[in-house]
Amino acid sequence: MARTLSDDVRLVIDTLGHVIQAQGGAAIYDAVETIRLAAKEARESADPPRAEAARERLASAAHRLDAATALEVARAFTLYFQLVNLAEDAQRARELRRRESEGGPESVGDSIHGVIASVARDGATRDQALAALADVRLTFVLTAHPTEARRQTTERLLADVATAIRRRDRRVLSALEVAATDRRLRAAIEALGLHAAERTDRPSVLDEVHAGLWYLRHVMLDVVPRFQRRLQDAFEQRFGAIDALALPMPVRFGSWMGGDRDGNPYVTPEVTARTLELHRDLVLDRYEADLRALIDPLAAAEGRLPDHPDLAASLARAESAVPDLVEEVRRRNPREPLRRLLALAAARLGRVRTEQPGAYADAAEFLDDLGVLRDVLRRAGSRALPDDGLAALIQRVRCFGFHLATLDVREASAVHRRLVGEWLDDPGYATASPADRVAALDRLSWPPDGVASWSDGSQRALDLFATITRLQRRFGPQAIGAYVISMTESAADVLEVLRIAELHGIAASLDIVPLLETPDDLRRAGPLLEALFTEPRHARQLERRGRTQELLVGYSDSMKQGGLLASRTLIARAQREAARVCRRHGVRLRVFHGRGGSVSRGGGPTHRAILALPHEAFSGHARITEQGEMRAHNFANPDLAVRYLEQSVGAAMQVRWETARRPAVGEARDVSLFDSLAATSQAAYEAFVGDPRLAPYFRAATPFDQIAALNIASRPSRRPADGAAATGLEGLRAIPWVFAWSQSRHVLTGWYGVGAALTAMFAEPDGDARLREAYRTSRFFRDLVDNVEMALAKADLPIAARYADLCEGADVRGLFDVIAGEFHRTVSAVLRVTGQGSLLAADPVLAHSIRLRNPYVDPLSYLQVEALRRLRDPAAIDAATRAAWERVARATVQGIAAGIRHTG
């Protein structure tokens, strides 16, 4: 009988219980059980007085704990969620296999098989389907934004647990194999119980680089060939045989770790160089291992192979590149030409690493040799052999090249303004009009001999361009692909970077990408591009970059300033405006979506978000950030990583097919509706964040101070600021803003203001009908409402009220009533739009998961409230006790993050 989620949960939780008793003793185990049972009764009792009594028992139990015991209890519940998350991931993968086995791959919703079948049923020919796929190029960009609350050590130990769970899925295991698997599972859980889950120091930038590379090394290098094979199978089921290498490679990977300088003083030239070395070494290690694995399969005798002029030419080129190895290779494999080419290819790869003569000039040259090997085998009558390990290697090289992931660099626009002002010796440059700044750029010359000395910030910025120049020359132009400009306000911000890049000779190999973050910046998207496209210098840059313009839209800051609904509407409008300008100038638009893990910061299912994009603004080329915990969610499990690629690419292909077959005719009525909703929502949100009670409420009713103290990222949680902004909310980054509200179970950044907007529209004569029709017909609006519904379902106002009780003064505590009023208004309005009787009625799996998790998240929330209560009264505890309760508070942050499966 197949294993179930209950089987896996029981296995890991029983094991955890034994480990808690063995490591912590009966007292800790009893404390955990007392709190767990009280929380369970509080959630499950249908009798309100009994449920309230259970809540009070839970609060009392948390209050009675000393700090040391509270810490152990918090760690136990955190481990519970980390283990249950793995069990849920295993069940998701198991369910996919079951559905595919029973109904075929086309029966699995959103699979690449299902999408291609749908496109074919819609009338697509083979060539049209291939054309829609060829339009797709999705780049998943790993970032080091501070949302991952776990250590790398924890990640690796959890990976061991996941391996043990997956091993239990094997159909036949002997009793000894079961015992060995369970022993490894317990060993991993014991290690998790014993290790220090909290970092003692902030991670370095290189620590973050290594953390991101783990997913590429251990998962994605294998997942990409698997995905391409499924893509081939999906095409063949509908359109007949096709060569795997005739299919496009629709996915790529990028990274900000080691290149994101904005607000991070620790990203130095040395760090960036080391990052690119790590990228190259990791991917070359894998290619060398792949070549070694091919030595025996490709031991074909010369007399068994057909004549092939390309093989002779490849061997000649390889021998010419490494003449010192020719005799040894000929002696070792005198009648095995494929092995000789493999040996020479391995030697040339090694010289790429050491940057010695004879190295491959680039990945394309390596691919040529691999292609020759495959073609020889195919001409020799082989079918499976050339499409086995060799084809997988070719697919890896097509995706990852010699660079693994293209590194972006990012810096703030103000830094460039200051640099140019110093370069021109013009103190007024930074405050001049955009037109005057653009006109002044022609006065820049290289080298800047007239500058006596640079400020530290300008010298650092100038060093960045020198670093890019040097590293692109060393690692190739694909190693560093984009220069992202934070807080872009005008064309001058882009043209400054372009001019400096031109003076360094790197403009042709660099995409210069404006980042639009604030609501005002997003509103300027169309005029910004119009100004750029009509400027001669940028027109030349477009020709260099294949007439493609990349634009990064930021979900975080626009949400923090204007609320979720206004942010999403503005981002959609910015894309439509940008697309109109691009069409007018014959430019391809590539949008870079700076999404976070939570709904508040652009999160939610990626494939649904792609389907919801304005069709006229989606060229098929897009880049998407994968931040913090979303890396683990999307990429830690190989089966789920394949599924994620299938859903994302399938959604993009479907949109491109629909756009080609049924070009958008405009949704003026919907757009006016969304603009009206956005305006009302933004007014409600701005009134909330403008309330003078908010800052003290936020500091008291959320664990923000503890989040800021967590060593979860190399970058500070605040932007550099002076004065009031340094202590208020102005300088606070969007990520900890969202993180803190999620921890305290308000989750208000995912819904606040939406209820006010929907309710106001209901009051219009045809408001009900318009909203229901928009929900039925507009993917954008449905995705938005569904994500708000999910945020509402994850919020818990009774728990949030306990955080509110931490506020001093009835006036500040009274802000909770404002929050609760908007919450209930939003729940009512969302249900009215969707026509459902309860939240998540249409998604019973997610609803069930939240119901199961809440009784185990609640103890962590009660412990966190207790810890914060003690810490808010510094006179009541000594320094040592305070430090102990700080550890409890930080531990609960990790536990709640694991329980609700998102942070920022």
Side-chain angles (χ1 to χ4, degrees):
M1 181 181 294
R3 290 185 65 79
T4 66
L5 176 60
S6 296
D7 294 332
D8 287 340
V9 169
R10 192 178 305 112
L11 173 66
V12 297
I13 297 313
D14 286 350
T15 306
L16 175 61
H18 293 313
V19 170
I20 291 171
Q21 290 188 74
Q23 293 182 351
I28 299 298
Y29 182 79
D30 290 345
V32 169
E33 281 297 287
T34 298
I35 286 177
R36 183 184 70 83
L37 292 173
K40 194 169 186 286
E41 184 175 357
R43 284 287 178 177
E44 296 180 356
S45 177
D47 178 38
R50 186 173 178 180
E52 179 59 28
R55 283 192 287 271
E56 291 309 313
R57 285 203 311 276
L58 177 53
S60 177
H63 181 69
R64 289 195 303 270
L65 297 178
D66 61 81
T69 304
L71 180 62
E72 291 305 312
V73 171
R75 294 194 69 196
F77 279 101
T78 300
L79 260 176
Y80 167 86
F81 279 119
Q82 291 171 342
L83 297 173
V84 167
N85 288 345
L86 296 178
E88 284 194 352
D89 288 346
Q91 177 62 19
R92 285 168 59 202
R94 186 184 297 128
E95 179 65 12
L96 286 171
R97 290 195 300 272
R98 183 194 65 78
R99 288 159 58 193
E100 190 168 297
S101 175
E102 292 178 358
E106 292 183 4
S107 69
V108 179
D110 309 315
S111 70
I112 198 67
H113 288 79
V115 169
I116 290 174
S118 174
V119 166
R121 286 194 298 268
D122 200 29
T125 66
R126 175 192 178 99
D127 288 345
Q128 288 171 329
L130 280 172
L133 179 63
D135 275 348
V136 176
R137 173 73 70 86
L138 300 182
T139 302
F140 302 96
V141 182
L142 308 180
T143 78
H145 281 28
T147 61
E148 179 52 76
R150 296 196 306 225
R151 293 182 62 197
Q152 290 179 53
T153 302
T154 307
E155 292 283 2
R156 291 192 292 268
L157 291 171
L158 289 172
D160 292 341
V161 174
T163 300
I165 292 173
R166 287 197 297 271
R167 182 172 172 78
R168 275 295 208 120
D169 260 346
R170 285 178 53 179
R171 288 291 182 184
V172 180
L173 284 174
S174 71
L176 288 176
E177 287 174 324
V178 169
T181 299
D182 289 353
R183 187 168 57 251
R184 281 194 289 272
L185 174 68
R186 174 154 181 161
I189 294 176
E190 287 176 347
L192 284 163
L194 291 171
H195 93 300
E198 184 183 334
R199 297 183 178 98
T200 55
D201 300 303
R202 281 194 177 276
S204 69
V205 178
L206 289 178
D207 288 335
E208 294 170 336
V209 171
H210 283 290
L213 293 183
W214 188 92
Y215 297 97
L216 295 174
R217 179 199 304 270
H218 295 286
V219 182
M220 301 316 296
L221 280 166
D222 288 307
V223 160
V224 167
R226 278 183 59 187
F227 166 72
Q228 288 294 121
R229 192 170 295 280
R230 288 181 64 84
L231 185 60
Q232 177 189 11
D233 184 71
F235 259 90
E236 290 186 337
Q237 284 200 17
R238 282 288 163 170
F239 299 111
I242 188 170
D243 184 0
L245 301 188
L247 290 170
M249 172 61 68
V251 298
R252 297 289 191 280
F253 293 87
S255 177
W256 278 15
M257 295 170 289
D260 183 5
R261 292 189 168 211
D262 183 20
N264 193 336
Y266 307 111
V267 181
T268 63
E270 294 75 22
V271 163
T272 302
R274 181 57 185 151
T275 297
L276 294 184
E277 288 174 354
L278 290 169
H279 284 198
R280 183 187 63 187
D281 290 352
L282 188 159
V283 79
L284 292 180
D285 282 346
R286 180 54 188 269
Y287 296 163
E288 289 169 346
D290 287 345
L291 290 179
R292 288 193 296 272
L294 289 170
I295 288 294
D296 286 343
L298 269 62
E302 197 167 43
R304 307 286 294 173
L305 298 172
D307 290 336
H308 196 302
D310 289 346
L311 176 59
S314 289
L315 277 168
R317 282 195 303 272
E319 290 177 344
S320 175
V322 284
D324 51 309
L325 299 180
V326 172
E327 289 305 317
E328 179 187 350
V329 170
R330 287 179 176 174
R331 177 183 55 77
R332 201 166 54 232
N333 306 111
R335 289 179 294 279
E336 296 169 328
L338 303 188
R339 272 188 162 182
R340 288 207 302 276
L341 186 53
L342 282 176
L344 295 169
R348 298 186 70 189
L349 278 181
R351 296 188 184 194
V352 172
R353 185 197 308 275
T354 57
E355 300 174 31
Q356 291 179 319
Y360 282 113
D362 51 34
E365 200 173 38
F366 181 41
L367 273 175
D368 286 342
D369 282 348
L370 297 178
V372 168
L373 290 170
R374 183 170 181 266
D375 196 44
V376 170
L377 293 172
R378 287 163 68 90
R379 291 195 187 187
S382 298
R383 287 295 173 263
L385 181 58
D387 286 340
D388 191 35
L390 178 58
L393 171 57
I394 291 172
Q395 299 288 28
R396 271 190 276 277
V397 181
R398 291 177 71 198
C399 179
F400 298 102
F402 286 165
H403 61 284
L404 183 66
T406 298
L407 187 69
D408 290 356
V409 295
R410 182 170 72 139
E411 189 53 278
S413 59
V415 171
H416 310 125
R417 285 197 294 274
R418 185 168 56 247
L419 168 62
V420 175
E422 292 181 24
W423 199 327
L424 296 174
D425 193 22
D426 181 356
Y429 175 85
T431 56
S433 70
D436 288 343
R437 285 163 53 203
V438 171
L441 292 177
D442 285 332
R443 291 162 38 207
L444 292 181
S445 61
W446 188 261
D449 295 327
V451 181
S453 63
W454 300 98
S455 65
D456 290 344
S458 293
Q459 183 63 63
R460 187 169 185 267
L462 202 59
D463 288 344
L464 174 57
F465 287 91
T467 298
I468 296 170
T469 305
R470 182 176 69 255
L471 295 180
Q472 281 195 334
R473 188 179 304 123
R474 180 182 173 194
F475 294 101
Q478 286 185 303
I480 297 179
Y483 192 115
V484 177
I485 308 166
S486 298
M487 293 296 175
T488 301
E489 297 175 355
S490 71
D493 293 327
V494 178
L495 295 169
E496 285 164 348
V497 174
L498 174 56
R499 178 60 178 152
I500 300 169
E502 285 179 334
L503 292 172
H504 283 79
I506 56 174
S509 58
L510 206 60
D511 285 319
I512 299 172
V513 182
L515 166 51
L516 306 183
E517 302 175 81
T518 69
D520 286 344
D521 293 341
L522 288 164
R523 291 187 187 97
R524 289 191 287 260
L528 169 72
L529 293 186
E530 187 69 46
L532 284 174
F533 295 167
T534 54
E535 207 282 332
R537 180 171 285 119
H538 193 272
R540 291 194 296 272
Q541 177 68 358
L542 283 175
E543 296 303 323
R544 298 182 189 115
R545 303 302 296 166
R547 297 201 64 76
T548 296
Q549 176 65 54
E550 185 169 309
L551 183 71
L552 201 166
V553 291
Y555 291 73
S556 302
D557 286 282
S558 59
M559 174 282 303
K560 182 172 178 283
Q561 292 186 32
L564 174 72
L565 199 158
S567 168
R568 293 290 181 94
T569 304
L570 270 175
I571 287 170
R573 174 177 282 278
Q575 291 176 76
R576 287 194 298 270
E577 292 294 328
R580 276 195 278 272
V581 175
C582 286
R583 278 196 302 274
R584 194 159 55 245
H585 290 271
V587 174
R588 181 170 197 153
L589 175 65
R590 178 170 61 234
V591 180
F592 188 172
H593 297 272
R595 306 170 75 231
S598 68
V599 166
S600 316
R601 298 183 48 248
T606 298
H607 68 285
R608 277 192 355 209
I610 291 172
L611 290 171
L613 291 173
H615 280 25
E616 67 269 33
F618 181 58
S619 67
H621 287 205
R623 301 210 294 154
I624 303 165
T625 51
E626 298 288 342
Q627 300 183 6
E629 75 284 354
M630 295 313 297
R631 295 185 316 210
H633 186 263
N634 293 331
F635 298 133
N637 182 302
D639 293 332
L640 299 182
V642 172
R643 168 75 167 160
Y644 181 64
L645 295 187
E646 283 198 39
Q647 289 180 303
S648 302
V649 171
M653 180 183 173
Q654 183 174 335
V655 171
R656 292 306 298 157
W657 163 248
E658 290 175 354
T659 303
R661 186 168 176 78
R662 293 179 288 272
V665 294
E667 299 175 316
R669 191 166 183 270
D670 278 350
V671 169
S672 66
L673 169 65
F674 302 150
D675 285 346
S676 177
L677 291 171
T680 307
S681 174
Q682 184 168 345
Y685 181 86
E686 287 178 344
F688 173 70
V689 297
D691 192 311
R693 297 173 294 176
L694 178 59
Y697 183 94
F698 179 73
R699 296 301 293 262
T702 77
F704 167 71
D705 289 336
Q706 284 65 41
I707 291 169
L710 280 172
N711 293 312
I712 59 175
S714 64
R715 190 174 76 162
S717 62
R718 287 185 175 274
R719 298 185 187 277
D722 298 314
T727 56
L729 301 179
E730 295 87 347
L732 183 65
R733 295 185 187 275
I735 294 168
W737 169 255
V738 174
F739 198 166
W741 287 119
S742 298
Q743 283 280 309
S744 60
R745 313 289 286 280
H746 294 75
V747 200
L748 64 79
T749 56
W751 52 263
Y752 199 95
V754 177
L758 296 178
T759 302
M761 185 56 61
F762 287 138
E764 297 292 324
D766 61 345
D768 244 320
R770 290 185 70 187
L771 289 172
R772 288 176 180 271
E773 178 68 9
Y775 184 74
R776 187 181 69 82
T777 61
S778 168
R779 285 174 176 164
F780 166 79
F781 191 59
R782 176 179 283 272
D783 181 57
L784 175 65
V785 172
D786 288 350
N787 282 328
V788 169
E789 182 186 15
M790 181 169 62
L792 291 167
K794 289 187 174 183
D796 192 297
L797 267 289
I799 297 290
R802 293 186 174 269
Y803 285 86
D805 287 341
L806 296 171
C807 296
E808 292 185 5
D811 184 48
V812 174
R813 279 199 302 275
L815 191 61
F816 177 77
D817 295 333
V818 176
I819 294 169
E822 177 63 7
F823 175 81
H824 294 302
R825 182 163 45 246
T826 307
V827 170
S828 176
V830 164
L831 294 179
R832 188 167 167 181
V833 169
T834 62
Q836 296 174 180
S838 60
L839 293 176
L840 298 180
D843 192 346
V845 174
L846 179 57
H848 181 64
S849 176
I850 292 174
R851 283 196 302 272
L852 288 180
R853 286 168 175 273
N854 277 337
Y856 297 91
V857 181
D858 292 351
L860 289 160
S861 292
Y862 277 75
L863 285 171
Q864 189 174 88
V865 168
E866 183 63 32
L868 295 177
R869 190 187 313 280
R870 294 177 186 248
L871 293 169
R872 302 284 161 78
D873 186 7
I877 54 177
D878 57 33
T881 306
R882 179 177 182 79
W885 280 106
E886 286 280 8
R887 287 195 293 274
V888 174
R890 292 195 295 269
T892 59
V893 168
Q894 293 181 313
I896 293 170
I900 61 179
R901 297 207 83 168
H902 74 78
T903 51

